[in-house]
Amino acid sequence: MTRNRTLMIGASCVIFSVFLAVLSLIWTPYDPLEMNPELSLTGPSSMHWFGTDENGRDILSSIIVGSRATLMTGILAVIICMVIGVSVGIATSVAPKWVEMPAIFGIDIVLALPTVLFAIVLASVYGPSTLTAVFAIGIALSASVAQVTRREVVVVLMADYVMAARASGCGTWRIIRKHILPNIRASLLVQASGACAIAILAESTLSYLGLGTTPPAPSWGRMMASLQPYLLINPIFPLWPGLAIVITVLGFNLLGDGLRESLDPTLRQSEK
Amino acid sequence: MLRRLALLVMSLVVSSALVFLLLRLLPGDIAQAKLGIYGTPEALEQLRAEYNLDKSLPVQYLNWLSGAVRGDLGLSVLTGVDITHELVAKSTLTLPLIGFASFFAIIIAVPLGMLAALRFRKWDGVATSVVSQLGIAVPTFWVGVILITIFAVRNQVFPSGGFPYEGWANFPAAISSLILPASTLALAQGAVLMRFARSATIDVIQQDYFRTARATGLSRLQALRVHGVRNAMVPVVSVLGMQISTLIVGAIIVESVFALPGVGQMLLQDVNVRDYTKVQGTVAVTTAFVFVISFVIDLVLGILNPRTRQKI
């Protein structure tokens, strides 16, 4: 796959999901919460393209609305992990040694903690909700963002222009703003895209386990769980929410890969 | 080596303290929750004394830690069961599940990753890469549901879930009920591992020693077998080590999909009934397991690749 194609496919998938979320605010084929017991578990038809669930709700409408919870989790978790991760990453690389070592150690520990397990603990403490999930996922992801940021910042700090800036009297804050941030922007963008994919996957997993988005708000993960018992009636049901998750996650992953390749000139020659 | 060991011990202490704190900073009182309307002041007092809940937090933590080190995670305040005992019993399902899954994942990932590398820029190589990209994006529970649909609903080859009541005493049934869950977990992991196997193989192919081996008359496959596998295994094993936490989380999900009564199921149930003491024990042991495995993997890597030995 050439880099442009990766970027294009990724971007189209992401745009498609965003389109669904925006569409859900204006129009859905049916009311996603309207129950209709006579129409319980009908297969795809001209009236209900994706079929109806156990309560006769239109699956297509639920999926369109479900994109909101998914994208919101992704975006909020990315904001949390980028703000914490980048601040910690930069702070630890300019901080004195005695702050740096414990901080690196702390990052290593959070990195090793299983994200979803951490989210499960939080959900058990504060009760399951989209926000708890977002918070847990965001914190857990911030460790890897901090690590990558550190790695990048340390390289930038050694550059001659930073030394020149320091020699000409620039303060640490100004160096961070004028020299460090612009230089690591590209890699942060790639990080954000990858983190978004992980966050969305984690949210759908938590919702599937009943620890994420709570009913009645439709969520792709929970739809999977509630439709799974009806596989025998029609195996096509769980296909839809699954496909929606795959398209969105694949989109953000490919977008990240594509961005990395197009923003990092050294990767262009050795295509790995 | 000593530094790595010190890091391991410190990680264990810090992570267990973190889990302890998170669960103890809760609003509400476990003793009150357990006794409910029977919570006379005397009864509450007695229960708190029994479970050391009347001591200060650091004392409680040290008590718990000294027990945990000796393999005693205490009793569940809610149900009174022995947590260590429960955890060990449930692990007899979860550990084999993780073991099988890692084994399957390597069997899937290494050959396919090598194929993708050898067929770099050819249709089947590209196809394998695409499959691996897809594999990373597919949620584990969806893979599980699809496998159930194909192998349990459409063709009744394997059970769609559950574990024999007699456990491992009914060996054939136990194995057959683990095959689909382990494959589910392996497919998700394999897709990640495959990417690393592929790029490691591409690295090997570009090395001088590989060209020399080819020049002595070995075919690409032969040269790869002699020189490639070991080199390609290094990143695969190290990624598998980093992925061990993903693998455990995956096991929780897979147990939920296939209704397997393992550690994951137990944890989810405990979360639902808010049995904090048990959640604490389970999570602490699971994280400890993650840290210990990644420590062991580092050691194994040293054996596979002598160059990294000094760095550890």
Side-chain angles (χ1 to χ4, degrees), chain A residues 105 109 112-113 116-117 120 124-125 127 205 208-209 224 228 231-232 235 238-239 242 245-246 250 257 271-272, chain B residues 7 10 14 23 26 120 133 137 139 141-142 149 153-154 195 203 249 252-253 256-257 267 271 274 287 290-291:
Chain A
F105 177 67
I109 290 185
L113 284 179
V116 174
L117 205 59
I120 289 176
S124 77
V125 176
T205 303
Y208 177 82
L209 296 176
M224 287 287 295
Q228 190 182 342
L231 272 179
L232 268 175
L239 196 70
I245 297 170
V246 171
L250 189 69
D257 282 1
E271 222 183 287
K272 273 185 199 168
Chain B
L7 194 73
M10 277 169 73
V14 173
L23 288 169
L26 280 173
F120 192 38
Q133 267 288 0
F141 50 86
W142 199 46
T149 314
V153 176
R154 284 290 166 88
R195 286 183 107 184
D203 274 343
V249 168
I252 298 177
I253 301 162
S256 174
V257 177
L267 179 65
V271 167
R274 308 241 167 153
T287 11
V290 170
F291 285 123

Side-chain angles (χ1 to χ4, degrees), chain A:
Chain A
M1 260 194 265
T2 65
R3 67 168 192 278
N4 280 331
R5 219 181 303 161
T6 314
L7 193 65
M8 289 293 287
I9 298 176
S12 349
C13 292
V14 171
I15 290 172
F16 177 68
S17 316
V18 174
F19 169 74
L20 280 189
V22 174
L23 182 72
S24 78
L25 297 173
I26 312 166
W27 174 84
T28 50
Y30 293 87
D31 178 356
L33 299 180
E34 191 190 287
M35 300 198 188
N36 207 341
E38 304 98 82
L39 283 176
S40 167
L41 296 170
T42 55
S45 64
S46 59
M47 293 287 287
H48 299 272
W49 290 2
F50 285 8
T52 53
D53 71 3
E54 73 278 18
N55 291 317
R57 290 175 293 201
D58 183 47
I59 295 182
L60 177 61
S61 306
S62 299
I63 285 186
I64 295 179
V65 176
S67 62
R68 273 188 240 161
T70 306
L71 281 184
M72 197 180 79
T73 322
I75 293 166
L76 286 181
V78 164
I79 292 176
I80 295 178
C81 81
M82 292 311 276
V83 169
I84 300 181
V86 173
S87 328
V88 171
I90 293 180
T92 53
S93 23
V94 296
K97 261 273 181 296
W98 61 270
V99 180
E100 196 181 349
M101 291 315 285
I104 296 177
F105 177 67
I107 294 175
D108 276 347
I109 290 185
V110 181
L111 260 182
L113 284 179
T115 313
V116 174
L117 205 59
F118 181 59
I120 289 176
V121 173
L122 276 193
S124 77
V125 176
Y126 299 105
S129 77
T130 315
L131 270 185
T132 319
V134 163
F135 190 67
I137 297 167
I139 300 239
L141 286 177
S142 64
S144 82
V145 174
Q147 203 184 38
V148 175
T149 311
R150 258 187 60 79
R151 208 180 295 147
E152 301 266 324
V153 172
V154 168
V155 175
V156 177
L157 278 178
M158 284 191 300
D160 288 340
Y161 55 81
V162 172
M163 217 180 297
R166 190 161 285 157
S168 63
C170 282
T172 309
W173 184 238
R174 192 181 156 83
I175 291 179
I176 290 173
R177 218 159 27 95
K178 290 279 173 192
H179 298 286
I180 295 180
L181 281 179
N183 268 299
I184 61 171
R185 203 165 41 198
S187 119
L188 290 185
L189 208 60
V190 175
Q191 280 283 307
S193 188
C196 200
I198 300 176
I200 288 172
L201 210 50
E203 191 274 338
S204 67
T205 303
L206 285 171
S207 297
Y208 177 82
L209 296 176
L211 297 171
T213 308
T214 42
S219 137
W220 294 342
R222 222 193 44 255
M223 285 175 74
M224 287 287 295
S226 62
L227 288 171
Q228 190 182 342
Y230 308 108
L231 272 179
L232 268 175
I233 299 174
N234 196 337
I236 206 157
F237 290 137
L239 196 70
W240 307 122
L243 259 176
I245 297 170
V246 171
I247 290 174
T248 315
V249 174
L250 189 69
F252 279 104
N253 267 337
L254 290 180
L255 186 69
D257 282 1
L259 281 175
R260 191 199 329 263
E261 283 163 35
S262 64
L263 293 173
D264 185 351
T266 52
L267 271 175
R268 272 182 216 156
Q269 289 103 23
S270 62
E271 222 183 287
K272 273 185 199 168

